[in-house]
Amino acid sequence: MLTSGGDSPGMNAAIRAVVRVGIYSEMEVYGIERGYEGLIAGDIKEMSISSVSDIIQRGGTTLRTARSAYFMEEDGFKRAMDMLENFEIEGLVVIGGDGSLAGGLTISKSGVPVIGLPGTIDNDLAYTDYTIGFDTSVNTVLSAIGNIRDTSSSHERSTVIEVMGRRCGDIALFAALTGGAEIVLIPEEEPNINSICRRLIQGKNRGKQHSIIMKAEGVNISSQELADIITERTGLETKVVVLGYVQRGGTPSARDRMLASCMGHKAAELLKNNSGSRAVGIRGTEIVHYDLEEALNMKRSYDQSIMELADILSM
Ligand code: F6P
């Protein structure tokens, strides 16, 4: 098992579940350090029941992680495959985002079955409703919104809060709806500057003392540029807060621990049953799994009804 790409809260809960269910099912479980980099280097150790004690509540990944450019090269990939053979690894669990699972797919095409678990705060994988770490990340953003509101309303300011998510706007969208932001901008929709300015002015005229503009990092205008335009066109003093890596850390929420534990359990079960290469996800409340390649080819679309609701509720 390895974790790869950006870490996400709940990865440790998934590691723990894979190890414990694996051992319970009479398999030997090995942990690979630093993702595909560690696989190439042979940083592989046998895991025991106690090696995953006291980690369910910890953010990050105790196996550590990396983004490996070398693994993408022919030579690096061959070394990784050689290492799997040296250690007689018969199946691999990859916990990570789309790039990490795509790496797993290339391994599976060379003959080693791979089970993918969606570990990323971005919630950008089409085959699953939720990814491990997304819920915690949204909660971290909510806590930041609370703090920013206090100071913004004291100073009667607007604040552009920039959140992560790459090309996916889910962190921004869910945090905006649940945090009561006045405006939300996501990469899936073109920003409408006129409408943003109009809404902010209307809010001010109704007596709003501050406004929160939640902006996903993938939107095609920089946060500072947006803040400058708002200040110039509305007269409202507008600050920028880029939340950055705080969104990736912290103790995982109950929801992420639950998701990670159930998905880790399913991964071990699929390997035990020789089910081939699968991607584990959740649809509604049900843990599901798809052929790994099919899962990665699914096209993602954001939930427009959440956007509409966020708009209505922030009137
Ligand atoms: O994929 C998770 C993520 O945190 C994205 O939201 C963000 O764009 C990216 O990783 C940052 O990557 P890095 O850790 O390499 O700076």
Side-chain angles (χ1 to χ4, degrees):
M1 165 183 43
L2 58 81
T3 51
S4 162
D7 62 327
S8 71
M11 278 184 165
N12 284 325
I15 292 169
R16 174 178 177 268
V18 172
V19 169
R20 294 213 165 147
V21 177
I23 293 172
Y24 175 80
S25 314
E26 296 172 338
M27 293 188 279
E28 278 176 23
V29 187
Y30 289 80
I32 302 167
E33 306 250 347
R34 294 179 290 106
Y36 295 111
E37 286 285 303
L39 176 56
I40 292 165
D43 288 341
I44 302 173
K45 57 179 186 199
E46 186 166 2
M47 309 286 280
S48 66
I49 301 245
S50 56
S51 67
V52 289
S53 296
D54 203 24
I55 67 168
I56 192 169
Q57 76 285 7
R58 283 161 63 184
T61 160
T62 47
L63 282 178
R64 290 177 286 157
T65 186
R67 300 190 193 277
S68 177
Y70 186 38
F71 174 73
M72 312 294 277
E73 293 173 22
E74 205 181 317
D75 187 43
F77 181 72
K78 187 183 171 308
R79 280 169 185 258
M81 291 309 295
D82 286 347
M83 212 50 86
L84 287 172
E85 204 174 323
N86 295 340
F87 280 80
E88 297 175 0
I89 305 282
E90 293 168 297
L92 182 66
V93 177
V94 173
I95 309 170
D98 54 356
S100 305
L101 300 198
L105 181 61
T106 50
I107 288 180
S108 82
K109 287 187 170 170
S110 298
V112 176
V114 172
I115 309 296
L117 297 193
T120 167
I121 61 167
D122 297 344
N123 210 37
D124 58 349
L125 287 158
Y127 81 86
T128 181
D129 290 350
Y130 293 105
T131 57
I132 298 166
F134 171 69
D135 182 65
T136 308
S137 181
V138 171
N139 279 300
T140 303
V141 176
L142 283 186
S143 146
I145 293 177
N147 290 8
I148 292 164
R149 259 189 210 293
D150 290 344
T151 172
S152 297
S153 73
S154 305
H155 286 265
E156 297 174 85
R157 284 173 176 160
S158 298
T159 311
V160 175
I161 304 180
E162 181 183 303
V163 296
M164 283 185 167
R166 269 182 216 277
R167 289 170 301 279
C168 176
D170 274 20
I171 296 178
L173 192 51
F174 281 59
L177 190 146
T178 56
E182 277 66 27
I183 307 279
V184 55
L185 283 91
I186 58 172
E188 293 90 337
E189 282 189 0
E190 255 324 286
N192 180 336
I193 304 289
N194 290 344
S195 148
I196 295 168
C197 293
R198 187 167 60 244
R199 288 185 72 141
L200 291 173
I201 301 272
Q202 285 167 342
K204 184 181 173 237
N205 292 345
R206 281 201 317 275
K208 280 200 183 210
Q209 293 186 334
H210 69 270
S211 293
I212 301 289
I213 299 129
M214 182 60 59
K215 177 185 165 289
E217 64 179 354
V219 176
N220 64 3
I221 178 170
S222 85
S223 298
Q224 193 55 58
E225 207 181 328
L226 177 67
D228 291 344
I229 293 174
I230 292 172
T231 305
E232 195 185 305
R233 287 177 52 173
T234 65
L236 297 166
E237 188 188 7
T238 308
K239 298 283 181 183
V240 173
V241 177
V242 179
L243 287 184
Y245 294 101
V246 292
Q247 293 161 92
R248 279 222 314 240
T251 186
S253 65
R255 198 173 169 149
D256 274 330
R257 294 184 201 192
M258 189 71 155
L259 191 62
S261 300
C262 294
M263 286 181 171
H265 166 237
K266 182 56 77 182
E269 196 179 80
L270 288 166
L271 278 181
K272 180 74 186 173
N273 296 337
N274 295 316
S275 307
S277 292
R278 313 290 295 171
V280 178
I282 186 165
R283 288 285 187 217
T285 54
E286 198 189 338
I287 298 294
V288 294
H289 51 95
Y290 301 96
D291 170 75
L292 182 57
E293 186 158 26
E294 255 173 51
L296 293 178
N297 282 333
M298 289 181 195
K299 294 279 166 275
R300 196 184 168 282
S301 58
Y302 74 103
D303 189 340
Q304 233 158 336
S305 67
I306 299 183
M307 186 59 152
E308 282 159 20
L309 184 58
D311 250 17
I312 294 168
L313 297 183
S314 67
M315 267 195 305

